Amino acid sequence: MAKPTPAPRATPFLLAAVLSIVVVAASGAEARWYGGGGGGGGYSPSPSPVSSIVSEQLYASLFLHKDDAACPARGFYTYASFVRAATRFPRFAATGCADARKREVAAFLAQISHETTGGWATAPDGPYAWGLCYKEEINPQSSYCDATDKQWPCYPGKSYHGRGPIQISWNFNYGPAGQALGFDGLRNPEIVANCSDIAFQTALWFWMTPRDTKPSCHQVMVGEYRPGPADVAANRTAGFGLVTNIVNGGLECNRAGDARVNNRIGFYRRYCQVLGVDVGPNLDCEHQQPF
């Protein structure tokens, strides 16, 4: 059921200019839909294919500052939680050739890094070393309840603002995510910011799940996306830029030099370099129509 794109919302990224002591940033405003016990303790081996691409040591090096005192999500986004969550999605990081699998992982980590970043231009170790700093939207502008959605009705007193690595937002996303993953997203949306395993599961649910007219990010990154006539007319070509279009195209695509798009690309370039894989074509969505 088609819904209008909601107005932009305040996220850590948009607040960076006013947080002058600890300059922090996360994502720009989110588009209309998103697709993610606590992860403490030691990591035990998992069959998830992602662990063969990103080791615990490499994960720590990619997210150097996620557990800094300045990061509200410190201690939350553990490697163990990430790998445990990935076991629920066996095709993640396991589809296509070795380069395709690495590129998918780099793209996923880049998108969640932008959504949760605490970095800034002159940050220690650079702006792309500060992913996974936030687990919840700062100062949400509303409760993100679409009262017209009767399939996923809002529960009184609950807020469906951005939470978790992908900043899942709105009742029409919390509801189906919870149904797919086994929690009550409408009555207990807070669990996404309180349980790191569920937070990562929600992000991977978004990543792996096609919605409405949108393909999944996974399909795009592993070569399974087949554009229809409307996609061709809208110049929605496969590549990292199309993933950004899926995530937040209504606010970031079909415009020149968007800083949020460039931030996502910066993370993606870094992670591809670390994983030893090229970035592929179509990095931005400057000339793509949103979905």
Side-chain angles (χ1 to χ4, degrees):
M1 179 172 61
K3 298 184 180 70
T5 301
R9 61 180 176 81
T11 62
F13 185 79
L14 297 176
L15 295 171
V18 299
L19 297 179
S20 57
I21 297 176
V22 181
V23 185
V24 292
S27 73
E30 312 307 329
R32 63 170 288 270
W33 71 275
Y34 287 91
Y43 165 67
S44 58
S46 167
S48 172
V50 76
S51 61
S52 68
I53 297 173
V54 179
S55 66
E56 187 168 15
Q57 182 178 10
L58 180 59
Y59 182 84
S61 73
L62 296 178
F63 301 107
L64 281 172
H65 297 283
K66 70 180 180 66
D67 296 324
D68 283 14
C71 288
R74 59 188 174 275
F76 186 70
Y77 293 119
T78 67
Y79 179 73
S81 291
F82 172 47
V83 174
R84 281 195 299 265
T87 63
R88 297 197 61 170
F89 300 88
R91 299 192 72 229
F92 175 66
T95 307
C97 66
D99 281 358
R101 296 194 299 270
K102 291 178 181 179
R103 204 174 287 117
E104 179 184 16
V105 171
F108 174 77
L109 295 180
Q111 292 290 343
I112 67 171
S113 293
H114 169 78
E115 296 293 336
T116 60
T117 185
W120 64 101
T122 59
D125 302 305
Y128 307 122
W130 287 77
L132 300 183
C133 190
Y134 284 84
K135 62 178 180 176
E136 193 162 6
E137 180 181 354
I138 294 176
N139 298 325
Q141 298 175 351
S142 74
S143 63
Y144 296 96
C145 169
D146 180 359
T148 69
D149 194 314
K150 304 305 180 184
Q151 182 180 7
W152 307 107
C154 304
Y155 196 73
K158 294 298 180 179
S159 175
Y160 303 102
H161 61 266
R163 296 181 179 95
I166 207 70
Q167 290 288 282
I168 186 173
S169 310
W170 296 92
N171 51 305
F172 49 72
N173 293 310
Y174 275 93
Q179 182 180 76
L181 298 171
F183 70 94
D184 193 334
L186 296 177
R187 288 178 172 80
N188 188 21
E190 300 89 352
I191 197 171
V192 179
N194 293 331
C195 174
S196 53
D197 282 29
I198 288 177
F200 273 120
Q201 288 170 22
T202 304
L204 285 162
W205 169 84
F206 162 72
W207 187 264
M208 301 298 294
T209 306
R211 296 283 301 277
D212 300 329
T213 60
K214 298 181 181 182
S216 71
C217 301
H218 169 78
Q219 289 172 323
V220 171
M221 292 307 302
V222 302
E224 295 179 351
Y225 165 63
R226 300 293 181 265
D231 298 309
V232 173
N235 196 37
R236 292 194 284 259
T237 52
F240 184 74
L242 185 57
V243 172
T244 297
N245 196 337
I246 294 168
V247 173
N248 205 27
L251 296 171
E252 297 183 21
C253 297
N254 194 34
R255 63 186 69 199
D258 190 277
R260 296 162 295 186
V261 173
N262 293 334
N263 188 258
R264 296 178 196 272
I265 293 171
F267 277 112
Y268 180 58
R269 286 188 182 278
R270 180 188 176 220
Y271 297 155
C272 282
Q273 182 179 26
V274 170
L275 294 177
V277 67
D278 66 272
V279 297
N282 304 318
L283 290 183
D284 63 61
C285 58
E286 181 172 326
H287 303 293
Q288 295 182 20
Q289 293 292 328
F291 285 94

